[in-house]
Amino acid sequence: MDVLRPRHIMTKVCITMLLVLSSAVLSSCHCPPDRIKNISHCAFHIHCYGEIRGVQLPNECREATNDPVTVDVTVTDAIEAFNDNTDLDFLNTITSLKLSGRWQQTKLTILMYTSRLQHLNLVNNGIETILDYPFSYLNHLEILNLSYNKLTDIEELFQFQIQPNQLKRLFLAFNAIQELPGDAFGELTSLVELDLSHNQISDLTEEPFYNLTKLEILRLNDNKIKDLNGAVNCLQYLKHLYLRGNQIQNIDEESLKIIKHLETFDVSKNELEQVKPIMLSRHWDHFTNHSICKIILSGNLITSVPNASSIEVSSRFSRNLDKHNVHLYTELDLSLNSISNIEYNAFQSLIRLISLDLSKNKVIDFKVDGNDLANIKYLNLSNNYISRLYFETFSSMTNLQNLDLSYNQLDFVSDMTFNSNYNFKIVNMTHNLIEKLDSVHLTFHPEGGVLDLSNNGLYRLNIPYGDGLRLITLILHSNNISDPSLVDLSHHTELQTLDLSNNLIGELDPSRLKLPEATLVYLDLSYNKIQYIAPSTFSTLRHLKTLRLSHNYLTKFEYGTFAGLTDLWHLDLAYNTIGYLDSKYLMDLKYLHVLSVRSNDMNVLDLSSWYGHRFDLRVYVDNNNLTCEWLGKVLRDFNNGYTKVKPTVLVAAGKGPHTVEGIPCMANESQSLTDASRYVIADERLLITSQKILEAVREQNYYFEKYVLQAIHKEVGKD
C-alpha cells in the first residue's frame, strides 16, 4: 500500500492540474481573440460562446471620444449566469446584441448592464415566458426581435423606465400569441414597424394599436383574424398593412377608414367575395414621389369587378390635376380568384395603373376602357378562358411591355389588335389553340423583345416584312410544325434566337429553312424527327453560335452538311443513333469549342481530321460504346499537347477497370496497340509538329514583311 500511495498521489495531482488547465482554456475561449474583429476605429464585431468574458476595448474607445463606439456582440449557447469574471463595464459598451440559447423561461438578467443597447436579437430561443420587465433598462433600444419563439402572453412586457422610449421596430412573428390586450403596446409611441405575423391572433376588439400614432408598417398576416373591427383606424400614418392569410370576409370604410392612405394593402388569401370601389382608390396626402401603391387581393373568393363609383372617378380626375403627384403609380393583383365578370369602367378609380394581374380566374371576355390602362406596363391574363382580344382595350396601352396570355382559348389574333403597342418586351401566348398566323402585328421595345408561341397547334407562321419589328427571340417549341418552310422568318433581320424544338420536322435542306442570314446565333431543332440533313442546309447562317440537333433520328452526315457554319461554337448531336462519326464531315466548323455526342450508342469516333484544330474542343462522349483503347489514345494526345480535342463527360465516374480519367469506356478487344497503329500515331504527331513549325515560320515572315521591310523603305525614302 505504501509503495502504491505515491503513484496514487501523483495521479491525483495530474488530474487536478488537467482540470485547472482545462478550465483555464475554457475560460479563455468565451470570446476567442480570433473572433474579435475590429471593423473600423471603435467599431467591433465580437463572437462569444456561453458568456461574454475576457474582452477589453482600447482605452481610446472606452474613455471620452469624438467617434461613435459601436460594439456588435453575438453569443452562441448563451447562459444567464454571472460571476466575478464578468466585465460589467464592457457590457455597458455593447450597442448590438444577439443571444442564441434555449430558454423556456428567462429574466434576461444581462440586460440590466447593457444600457447603451440599440439592437437586441433574441430570435429562435424557445422562449415561452419573460419575467421582471428586462427591457425597461434599455432606454436607447431601437430594434427588438423576438420572432420564432413560443411567447403567448405579452401583456405588460414592453415597459420602459424613461418615456418616451426609443423603440422603433418590434418583431414578434412566429410565436403563439392569441390575445392582444388593449395596453400591450401602450408605451411604444415611437414605434414605426410592428410585426405580429404567423401567430394565433383572432380578436382585435380591444384596439391594441390605439397609441401607435407613428406606426407606418403593420404585419398581421397569417393569423386567424375575421374582422378588423376598426382596430387600425387610429393609425393615421400607416402606409403598409399586411393581412394575408387570415379569415376576413368583409372590408368596408367603417372597418378600415385609413384604407385610402395605404401604399401597400395586402389582403390576399382571405375570404372576400366582393371588390368594393373603396378598396381600389387612393389619395396621396402623405406619400412620397416615386411611390408605388400595391393593392393585393389575390387568393380570395371574388367573382366580379364592378364599375368604379362616380365619387371615386371624380376624385381620380381631381388628383390628376395635382402636379405634385405625377410620379405615383398603382399595382393591382386580383389573381387566384373566381372572377368571370369585369365591368367596362372597373379600373377607372385607379390612378396611373402600371401592373394588373388577373391570372388564374374565369375571365371569358376582357373588354374594358383602355384609357384606364394607358400607363400599364405589366398585364397578366393567363389561365383564363379568353378566346378573343379587342383592339379598343389595347389601343391606349402604349406603355405595355409584358403581356401574358398563356393558358387561354385563343385560336386567332386579329391583325389590328396590337397596332398601337410599340414597347413589348415579352409576349407570352403559350398553351392556346393557335394553328396558324399569317402575320404578327407586334412591335417590340427598342432593346428587343421575346415572343413565345410554344404549346399551340401551330403549323404555319409568317412574319412578313415590316411586322415583328425588333423581335430578338422567337419560341415555337411543342407545336405541329412538320415543314419548316411554312415558318417564314427570312425578312426578320433582327432575330437572334429561334427555338423549333419538339415539333414534327423530318428533313432539312436549304429550301426548307427560311431564316434571317445575318443575325441568328442560336437555333434549337432538338426533339424533332429529323433523319436527314442535306448539304449546305445551314450555309447562310454564317453567324450561328449554337446548333442543337439532339433527340432526333440522325444516323450519318455527308460532306457539306455543316458548310457555312464557320462561327459555330456549340454543336449538340446527343441522343441520336449515330454509330460512326468521322470528323472530316465537320471540318467546316473552324471555331467549334463544344461537341456533344452523348447517348448515341456510338462505336467509332474518328477525330483524326481535328489534330490541327485551333481551339480547345470538349467532346462529350457519355453513354456510348467507345473503347478504353481509343479513349486512352485521345486523352494521351491531348495531355501531351499533340491535339486540342479532349473527350469528357458531364458527370465523371469513379476509378474502375473500364474508365479512363473518370470517363466510362468499353473493354478493349486488344490490350495493346499494334505496331502499325503506333506508326500511324507517330505519323500524325509528326504531321502536327510540322504544321506548327510552318505556322510559326509564316507568322515570322508576316512580321518581317510588315515591320522590317517597312523600316527599310522609310530609310531608303530618306536617302
Side-chain angles (χ1 to χ4, degrees), residues 331-344:
E331 295 179 357
L332 175 61
D333 186 350
L334 286 162
S335 62
L336 285 162
N337 280 282
S338 299
I339 299 170
S340 58
N341 179 46
I342 302 174
E343 308 233 352
Y344 188 74

Side-chain angles (χ1 to χ4, degrees), residues 649-665:
V649 290
L650 286 179
V651 180
K655 292 183 178 179
H658 303 309
T659 63
V660 180
E661 295 187 13
I663 304 174
C665 52

